[in-house]
Amino acid sequence: MRNVRRWIGAAAVPVLVLAGGVTLAGTAVALPDTGSVAVSNGSDAPVTFEADGTTFHGSLRNPDGAAVAAALLLPGSGPTDRNGNQPGVAADTLVRTADALAAHGIASLRFDKIGAGETGLGSYTVETVGEYGFTEQVDHAEAAVRLLAERTGVSPEEILVLGHSEGALTALALADRGIGDGFAFLAPLPMRYLDLLTAQLNAVVDSGQLGPDGEAVRADLSRAVESLRTTGAFPTDLHPVLAQFGMNPANAKFLFESDKLDPVELAAELAADTPVLLTCSDKDLNISCAQVEPLRNALSHTDLQFEHFTTANHSLEELGPLQPGPADQVALLPTSFEFSAAIDGWAAARGR
């Protein structure tokens, strides 16, 4: 899908994955959709809901026995499906999280966002997808909350909200609307969106992957950020590499709106003693633990469970002694042992 976003959740520094599954080295990656996986806790039921003229498709995970709580699961950036996957990027992050929650009696809803799975582009076309902004993404998540509340009887104010990567910003935006009574920010976007993209792209330039074009890309990167923040649009003469990394007209509205929100400021506004799970990992090439630290400090007034992993990649898969890299983006690896223990402990305190 041309120009559809594939950023934080799909990108790895020093090698970022571009739209269409092509890496900087020019290697095409095309993996089949992993589809549904074996469910070991509870069972999935297909659901749909309407928002902004689009029918969203998802799965409601019902635990064995009566549900004692309900959770909305929000994916990372780009065209991510209900399981947490994209074409060429296998992780099953969300379906594995649903499984962990169900073991503690927590029902959960996850859905194919715009550009992914059965939802597809919905009411948008390739030509009009640039009209899709972050505000719409939060609206769609709120519509999912309403469906979850209807199906489980848990009010929107009491629903748990778990967001992976960019999904953590969506979760914080829902909290700002008064939704949620417990949050998990998993490998979260920890700063303003354009600041993180700048850090990621500067790391690519520093790695030498762009060769002699590197410094030109760096200069245009600064110009692109300044222009978007002041005018809401990107300059028309940016280096083509920046367009490949998402800085193009199709993404301008989404980036402009999402960049206005500072996760640290939103986190500081959460009610005292709100249950929060926050994670980072030393082997996350997209977001470092040092970048997450200001977010951790902003959450100090909450009932915070902070987990500093050492062997999990950005998708919360287990790397063990292996070094992170492009291969672990495309291969479906086992769930991180550290994440399994962390989500199990957090869910146990929320469920039965």
Side-chain angles (χ1 to χ4, degrees), residues 19 21 37 57 61-62 83 95 98 100 112 119 147 163 169 174 183 252 255-256 259 269 287 299 302 323 346:
V37 298
H57 295 259
R61 174 66 64 87
N62 294 298
N83 288 343
V95 72
D112 300 328
T119 300
L147 173 67
L169 181 62
L174 287 176
F183 299 88
L255 276 174
F256 176 71
D259 180 68
E269 294 173 0
I287 297 166
L299 291 166
T302 67
Q323 292 302 308
W346 190 80

Side-chain angles (χ1 to χ4, degrees), residues 30-122:
L31 293 182
D33 187 345
T34 60
S36 61
V37 298
V39 174
S40 57
N41 292 307
S43 58
D44 276 347
V47 295
T48 60
F49 62 92
E50 302 292 324
D52 292 337
T54 291
T55 299
F56 286 84
H57 295 259
S59 296
L60 178 65
R61 174 66 64 87
N62 294 298
D64 297 324
V68 298
L72 177 67
L73 309 185
L74 297 170
S77 61
T80 309
D81 69 19
R82 72 190 74 178
N83 288 343
N85 301 324
Q86 296 183 13
V89 180
D92 278 349
T93 307
L94 296 190
V95 72
R96 289 168 168 176
T97 301
D99 192 52
L101 297 177
H104 296 280
I106 301 174
S108 64
L109 173 63
R110 60 193 197 276
F111 61 93
D112 300 328
K113 64 192 293 192
I114 290 292
E118 292 183 79
T119 300
L121 283 178

Side-chain angles (χ1 to χ4, degrees), residues 69-270:
L72 177 67
L73 309 185
L74 297 170
S77 61
T80 309
D81 69 19
R82 72 190 74 178
N83 288 343
N85 301 324
Q86 296 183 13
V89 180
D92 278 349
T93 307
L94 296 190
V95 72
R96 289 168 168 176
T97 301
D99 192 52
L101 297 177
H104 296 280
I106 301 174
S108 64
L109 173 63
R110 60 193 197 276
F111 61 93
D112 300 328
K113 64 192 293 192
I114 290 292
E118 292 183 79
T119 300
L121 283 178
S123 62
Y124 300 95
T125 66
V126 171
E127 290 73 28
T128 65
V129 73
E131 299 170 8
Y132 174 59
F134 186 74
T135 300
E136 283 78 16
Q137 178 162 294
V138 181
D139 289 343
H140 302 161
E142 185 172 355
V145 167
R146 290 195 294 270
L147 173 67
L148 182 59
E150 176 186 319
R151 293 297 185 92
T152 63
V154 179
S155 71
E157 296 79 14
E158 296 177 329
I159 280 173
L160 305 171
V161 185
L162 295 84
H164 174 244
S165 196
E166 178 191 283
L169 181 62
T170 309
L172 283 165
L174 287 176
D176 196 49
R177 295 184 180 189
I179 293 170
D181 188 36
F183 299 88
F185 306 130
L186 310 174
L189 193 165
M191 62 185 72
R192 290 179 66 183
Y193 219 132
L194 291 176
D195 290 342
L196 182 59
L197 285 179
T198 296
Q200 290 183 333
L201 286 166
N202 276 329
V204 173
V205 173
D206 293 341
S207 73
Q209 289 184 75
L210 300 182
D213 286 339
E215 291 309 316
V217 169
R218 196 194 307 272
D220 270 9
L221 172 59
S222 297
R223 190 161 59 92
V225 169
E226 180 180 2
S227 176
L228 188 65
R229 283 179 169 170
T230 56
T231 70
F234 288 116
T236 58
D237 59 344
L238 291 177
H239 195 288
V241 165
L242 292 177
Q244 291 178 317
F245 284 140
M247 293 191 172
N248 54 60
N251 299 323
K253 179 182 178 183
F254 188 97
L255 276 174
F256 176 71
E257 292 181 352
S258 57
D259 180 68
K260 288 182 176 180
L261 303 179
D262 186 337
V264 171
E265 293 180 358
L266 291 174
E269 294 173 0
L270 290 179

